[in-house]
Amino acid sequence: MKGTNFVKKNLLPLLILALISFFAGCQEESSLESTEPRTDKEAMVQIADEDSLLTSFEPNYNEDGVMDIIGKVNTPIYPVRVGQKMRLVNRVLDINVQGDTAYGTLTKTFEGTLFILAKYDSASTEPDTLIQKPFTSTITRKLIFIKIANTEFPKRNWVLAAVSLPEGGTNTPASIDITKMTVFLPNGDTLVINSPNDYYLYRQWGFWWRWRNFPVVPGNSQLTIRVELTSAYEQDDFVTLTFGADARGMHRAKKRFVLVSSNFNGTAYVKVYEQTFQTHQYRGFFHAILNAMPGQVVLDDSAPVEQESWGIPYFVRP
């Protein structure tokens, strides 16, 4: 009798614990099902939205809070600081599923404002005007997903296997065109990009998914970027690099490219710009964003914004 009471006494807490675990499991499963994407496309959109490589673009494309240019800006109009604030207003992911592979085009539309803090009087020691120029920019990127399972939950069935580099700019006809970007990495490797949307970074399966053909650099290391472009104007263009921002927009920095050479080919000026930047010590995914504008965009208070943008992601390791 004593043994029976002992079993009952000790079994009761176990039964209660089992019931609690059961109901908690049901609630967790119910919560999971309520947030789980219902279609393959919804799953791919969510996968792209959560990928650290892709999400590192916008904090660097948006220069809100950082209008400083590292290096002197010496131009006739005397702009002191130039920066752009970008707001994402539309995002579309077009998907073409072919068997176990899905090809996507991610298009993001931004409303931007270019801020130019300038002075009209060359003798003045302080800026005396803030010019604001609204513009619209569209950035595209290609994505490749592969199917790895056939569960009832679409998000578990697909992985993001490859992404292209981002490119885009203003929708108006531009008088500036980036034709080539060369990235010199600290280990001596060189990346040559002629068309960002055709330049893919691939994710390789091993013990875990990892990116292949992807810039992984040590903290506090230097990278050099050479930019080749054509411009309708002889004067220097306004070519900048924004980099280093994390998901919260912290640690953002900006540098202006230096003109290396300029030659007229009969129809346009073929120019080469270079700049070196140093990564910070913080680990994670980041983007270096190249923005190129004709000089008069920042030298003329009435000139509309014409801009072309390319991006290159990189990973900083300790």
Side-chain angles (χ1 to χ4, degrees):
M1 195 72 175
K2 274 186 177 183
T4 304
N5 291 335
F6 177 81
V7 171
K8 288 181 178 178
K9 182 179 179 181
N10 289 275
L11 185 61
L12 184 59
L14 293 175
L15 289 173
I16 294 174
L17 181 61
L19 287 171
I20 293 173
S21 300
F22 173 77
F23 287 113
C26 290
Q27 290 177 350
E28 182 179 349
E29 186 66 25
S30 175
S31 175
L32 177 63
E33 290 181 0
S34 66
T35 58
E36 187 77 19
R38 296 296 181 181
T39 67
D40 286 343
K41 182 174 180 179
E42 288 178 359
M44 293 176 203
V45 168
Q46 195 170 108
I47 290 170
D49 285 346
E50 295 171 355
D51 191 271
S52 297
L53 186 154
L54 297 178
T55 57
S56 65
F57 174 83
E58 289 175 37
N60 291 281
Y61 191 48
N62 176 26
E63 299 172 355
D64 186 23
V66 175
M67 287 180 64
D68 289 315
I69 299 292
I70 302 175
K72 186 179 180 181
V73 177
N74 185 15
T75 54
I77 197 179
Y78 314 110
V80 179
R81 297 181 182 179
V82 179
Q84 63 186 36
K85 184 174 182 179
M86 310 301 295
R87 183 173 70 90
L88 179 66
V89 294
N90 191 37
R91 178 195 59 195
V92 177
L93 179 60
D94 291 321
I95 295 290
N96 178 18
V97 179
Q98 299 181 16
D100 289 341
T101 304
Y103 301 92
T105 299
L106 180 63
T107 303
K108 292 185 176 182
T109 303
F110 296 85
E111 286 183 352
T113 302
L114 183 68
F115 293 92
I116 306 171
L117 188 62
K119 54 184 181 180
Y120 287 108
D121 183 1
S122 62
S124 174
T125 59
E126 298 291 338
D128 52 34
T129 186
L130 176 63
I131 301 166
Q132 300 184 42
K133 298 184 178 184
F135 66 101
T136 300
S137 178
T138 301
I139 302 293
T140 59
R141 190 170 215 153
K142 301 295 181 65
L143 312 177
I144 299 177
F145 299 85
I146 60 173
K147 197 169 189 178
I148 58 170
N150 287 287
T151 73
E152 60 179 308
F153 301 105
K155 190 179 176 182
R156 304 179 188 179
N157 300 334
W158 297 90
V159 295
L160 183 60
V163 302
S164 78
L165 303 186
E167 66 174 311
T170 52
N171 301 323
T172 55
S175 51
I176 194 168
D177 181 36
I178 304 171
T179 57
K180 185 178 180 180
M181 178 169 65
T182 306
V183 182
F184 301 92
L185 301 176
N187 64 358
D189 289 347
T190 302
L191 306 179
V192 180
I193 298 104
N194 297 295
S195 175
N197 277 180
D198 296 316
Y199 190 98
Y200 283 88
L201 305 171
Y202 294 92
R203 199 171 240 162
Q204 200 170 27
W205 174 255
F207 292 103
W208 56 83
W209 286 98
R210 63 177 183 176
W211 291 104
R212 179 169 56 86
N213 191 31
F214 182 82
V216 178
V217 297
N220 297 312
S221 59
Q222 289 191 334
L223 291 81
T224 297
I225 296 182
R226 179 182 298 152
V227 180
E228 299 178 32
L229 57 81
T230 58
S231 174
Y233 305 99
E234 183 178 8
Q235 68 184 154
D236 283 9
D237 306 291
F238 197 76
V239 185
T240 61
L241 187 74
T242 308
F243 58 95
D246 61 16
R248 298 173 298 168
M250 302 292 291
H251 316 300
R252 188 188 291 116
K254 184 177 179 180
K255 299 186 78 171
R256 185 177 179 182
F257 281 83
V258 177
L259 180 66
V260 175
S261 66
S262 177
N263 297 288
F264 188 66
N265 66 4
T267 57
Y269 292 89
V270 180
K271 301 178 182 180
V272 177
Y273 292 88
E274 279 191 6
Q275 187 53 266
T276 297
F277 74 97
Q278 182 167 320
T279 64
H280 47 55
Q281 72 272 28
Y282 304 104
R283 183 180 184 274
F285 287 100
F286 302 93
H287 261 75
I289 308 298
L290 164 67
N291 290 317
M293 297 182 289
Q296 77 268 14
V297 173
V298 297
L299 301 179
D300 183 346
D301 58 7
S302 63
V305 177
E306 298 179 48
Q307 182 187 85
E308 186 169 10
S309 302
W310 287 17
I312 176 75
Y314 60 96
F315 186 87
V316 176
R317 60 176 173 80

